[in-house]
């Protein structure tokens, strides 16, 4: 009897050692990315932990359906285990199976109410389902559980930046930068918010930092060029536009922006040169070029030439209310026929009834004045 007991112990020890050996081999294969062979070794072991590793291996080689089945088996065997549910939820989110992912992350958030990651991923699911209000609730929940949760802070910052809700955007951007002062994504959003709010002087150091951090992208240079220009730092603006033109000399907007710099410096001949270059690059769309040339003519008090260019610009882009408004006001300055002037303003309101309040109110006011002038001229 004693001998039998000893033999049983020896057999159990040998089996355990064999399993340990297989487990070591399987783990080694998994670690070096030999997933197919790792799956074979894990299959010899059986059990929930091996099934989880098999799920991960299938996921790694892109056999997602088998991975999902293995994750589901593991969860079925141990419903309280959160890690396989988290991995399954991420996989379903990646595969755009959003309703299934929502179910998984909802279960996880019930299992562990204090985990900000689960709230964040619910936010991601609702974002993909185009349910913005719900996604915001969960991102905010993640932050309430962990005020340093960077991905939730970024998503909220990004949402409010896109919506141009300046105060809300800055609230989350600045909160994130308090914890992660060198986070490039948040610095980028901060720069965009200030730029969109016309705070060019404050946007400049942020845009410069982005370049220092290696964000060597055209849109950063474009915003920096505009900011320098608006801040009357003309030489710096020219340097930025020079970089952009070295990268792409067929971008008409860069030429237009450079022309704007020269225009502010009252170097109108140089401005004309770059406007013409912009128009060459912009073929066959000339509306902006004609509009810019009209502006220079206006600045030179050559109203007839300005009107000619505005009319040419309008022929190219009849949807642009500002161009037509300029035609109306210049015609008003040049003309003597009160009836024609009145007709121009009335046509403006008829063709562009929902444009900028300034144009609308100015046109209405001028119509009233012209009607009075016409009345008294008849008397």
């Amino acid at each position: 009897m004693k001998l039998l007991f000893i033999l049983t112990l020896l057999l159990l020890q040998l089996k355990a050692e064999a399993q340990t050996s297989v487990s070591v081999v399987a783990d080694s294969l998994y670690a070096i990315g030999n997933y197919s062979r790792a799956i074979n070794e894990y299959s010899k072991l059986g059990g929930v932990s091996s099934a989880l590793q098999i799920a991960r291996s299938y996921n790694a080689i892109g056999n997602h359906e088998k991975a999902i089945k293995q994750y589901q088996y593991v969860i079925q065997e141990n419903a309280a285990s959160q890690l396989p549910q988290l991995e399954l939820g991420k996989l379903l989110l990646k595969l755009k199976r959003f309703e299934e992912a929502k179910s998984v992350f909802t279960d996880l958030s019930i299992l562990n109410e204090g985990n900000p990651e689960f709230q964040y991923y619910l936010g991601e699911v609702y974002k993909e389902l185009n349910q913005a209000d719900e996604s915001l609730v969960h991102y905010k929940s993640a932050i309430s559980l962990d005020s340093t949760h960077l991905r939730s802070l970024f998503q909220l910052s990004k949402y409010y930046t896109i919506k141009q809700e300046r105060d809300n955007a800055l609230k989350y951007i600045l909160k994130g930068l308090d914890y992660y002062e060198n986070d490039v994504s948040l610095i980028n959003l901060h720069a965009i918010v200030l730029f969109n709010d016309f705070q060019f002087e404050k946007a400049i150091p942020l845009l410069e930092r982005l370049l220092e951090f290696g964000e060597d992208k055209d849109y950063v240079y474009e915003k920096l060029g505009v900011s320098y220009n608006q801040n009357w730092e003309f030489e710096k603006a020219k340097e930025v536009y020079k970089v952009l033109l070295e990268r792409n000399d067929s971008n008409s907007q860069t030429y237009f922006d450079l022309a704007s710099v020269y225009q502010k410096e009252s170097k109108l001949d140089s401005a004309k040169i770059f406007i013409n270059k912009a128009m060459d690059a912009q073929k066959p769309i000339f509306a902006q070029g004609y509009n810019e040339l009209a502006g220079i003519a206006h600045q030179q008090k050559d109203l007839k030439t300005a009107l000619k260019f505005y009319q040419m610009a309008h022929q190219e882009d009849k949807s642009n209310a500002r161009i037509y408004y300029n035609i109306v006001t210049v015609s008003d300055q040049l003309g003597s026929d009160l009836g024609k002037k009145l007709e121009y303003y009335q046509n403006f309101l008829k063709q562009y009834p929902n444009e900028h309040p300034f144009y609308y109110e100015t046109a209405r006011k001028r119509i009233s004045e012209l009607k009075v002038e016409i009345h008294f001229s008849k008397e």
Side-chain angles (χ1 to χ4, degrees):
M1 192 72 179
K2 186 176 180 181
L3 180 60
L4 180 62
F5 178 71
I6 293 170
L7 287 171
T8 303
L9 284 178
L10 285 170
L11 286 170
L12 288 172
Q13 184 179 351
L14 288 169
K15 184 179 179 181
E17 288 175 356
Q19 285 186 319
T20 301
S21 176
V22 172
S23 178
V24 169
V25 171
D27 288 343
S28 298
L29 291 167
Y30 180 86
I32 63 173
N34 197 340
Y35 300 115
S36 295
R37 285 188 62 192
I39 289 169
N40 292 333
E41 295 300 318
Y42 284 125
S43 298
K44 296 174 184 177
L45 293 168
V48 173
S49 61
S50 295
L52 178 56
Q53 287 299 98
I54 291 171
R56 290 168 174 166
S57 299
Y58 277 131
N59 190 10
I61 62 177
N63 195 333
H64 297 132
E65 290 306 318
K66 285 191 175 181
I68 289 169
K69 287 179 181 177
Q70 288 293 321
Y71 278 124
Q72 289 171 337
Y73 165 74
V74 174
I75 294 164
Q76 184 180 330
E77 292 298 307
N78 186 2
S81 180
Q82 296 173 35
L83 184 57
Q85 292 187 64
L86 176 59
E87 292 180 13
L88 174 60
K90 288 181 180 180
L91 177 56
L92 292 168
L93 185 58
K94 174 184 171 183
L95 296 175
K96 303 186 186 300
R97 291 163 64 166
F98 302 125
E99 289 295 341
E100 294 173 75
K102 182 174 74 172
S103 177
V104 171
F105 288 119
T106 300
D107 288 344
L108 279 170
S109 66
I110 293 170
L111 270 174
N112 188 344
E113 295 178 357
N115 191 324
E117 279 291 283
F118 302 156
Q119 293 298 323
Y120 165 75
Y121 279 111
L122 273 172
E124 290 290 278
V125 170
Y126 280 111
K127 181 183 74 174
E128 295 294 344
L129 289 170
N130 295 316
Q131 297 179 36
D133 290 342
E134 282 293 329
S135 72
L136 297 180
V137 167
H138 291 289
Y139 291 137
K140 289 175 183 177
S141 293
I143 292 169
S144 70
L145 294 168
D146 177 4
S147 61
T148 70
H149 199 274
L150 180 59
R151 285 172 295 166
S152 295
L153 287 166
F154 172 74
Q155 289 296 345
L156 288 166
S157 301
K158 180 181 176 183
Y159 174 84
Y160 288 119
T161 298
I162 291 170
K163 292 293 182 181
Q164 296 194 0
E165 295 185 27
R166 174 188 174 279
D167 291 341
N168 279 325
L170 287 176
K171 172 184 173 182
Y172 292 106
I173 289 169
L174 295 177
K175 186 179 286 190
L177 288 172
D178 280 343
Y179 299 115
Y180 313 99
E181 63 176 342
N182 292 328
D183 185 85
V184 171
S185 298
L186 289 174
I187 294 170
N188 182 36
L189 291 176
H190 194 191
I192 290 171
V193 170
L194 294 176
F195 182 90
N196 290 341
D197 200 39
F198 308 108
Q199 297 186 52
F200 301 110
E201 187 175 1
K202 291 182 179 179
I204 286 170
L206 296 172
L207 293 164
E208 290 173 337
R209 280 185 76 193
L210 287 174
L211 293 177
E212 289 169 10
F213 286 142
E215 286 294 290
D216 191 41
K217 296 176 180 176
D218 285 357
Y219 80 90
V220 177
Y221 283 105
E222 288 163 5
K223 284 182 168 48
L224 185 56
V226 171
S227 299
Y228 281 142
N229 187 15
Q230 294 295 329
N231 205 43
W232 298 83
E233 297 181 62
F234 300 131
E235 293 308 314
K236 287 185 177 181
K238 289 175 191 175
E239 287 300 314
V240 168
Y241 291 131
K242 181 181 177 182
V243 171
L244 285 170
L245 289 173
E246 285 172 355
R247 293 178 171 206
N248 180 9
D249 62 0
S250 63
N251 187 335
S252 62
Q253 189 58 51
T254 306
Y255 289 113
F256 280 128
D257 290 337
L258 192 51
S260 172
V261 175
Y262 284 108
Q263 207 169 336
K264 277 190 176 179
E265 290 184 309
S266 297
K267 297 177 180 178
L268 301 184
D269 289 337
S270 295
K272 286 180 185 179
I273 289 169
F274 285 105
I275 290 170
N276 284 313
K277 285 187 176 183
M279 292 172 71
D280 287 339
Q282 198 180 28
K283 291 177 182 176
I285 304 168
F286 295 112
Q288 185 175 351
Y290 289 138
N291 192 50
E292 296 282 353
L293 289 170
I296 288 177
H298 208 158
Q299 197 172 335
Q300 293 174 323
K301 303 190 185 308
D302 184 355
L303 295 184
K304 288 184 179 179
T305 301
L307 180 59
K308 180 186 76 174
F309 279 126
Y310 281 135
Q311 288 169 334
M312 291 167 73
H314 185 248
Q315 286 299 314
E316 294 290 332
D317 184 6
K318 294 187 178 180
S319 66
N320 192 317
R322 184 174 181 178
I323 293 173
Y324 191 75
Y325 180 80
N326 287 330
I327 291 173
V328 171
T329 54
V330 173
S331 298
D332 188 359
Q333 291 175 272
L334 282 171
S336 58
D337 188 326
L338 296 176
K340 284 285 185 186
K341 293 183 180 185
L342 178 61
E343 187 179 339
Y344 269 122
Y345 282 105
Q346 288 174 331
N347 283 340
F348 174 79
L349 292 184
K350 183 178 178 181
Q351 292 184 43
Y352 307 99
N354 300 312
E355 290 306 319
H356 194 285
F358 171 79
Y359 301 137
Y360 184 82
E361 290 303 323
T362 306
R364 275 194 1 154
K365 181 181 177 183
R366 185 59 180 140
I367 286 170
S368 297
E369 291 171 351
L370 285 167
K371 284 181 177 178
V372 171
E373 289 180 44
I374 290 170
H375 173 75
F376 281 110
S377 68
K378 286 180 180 177
E379 289 186 352

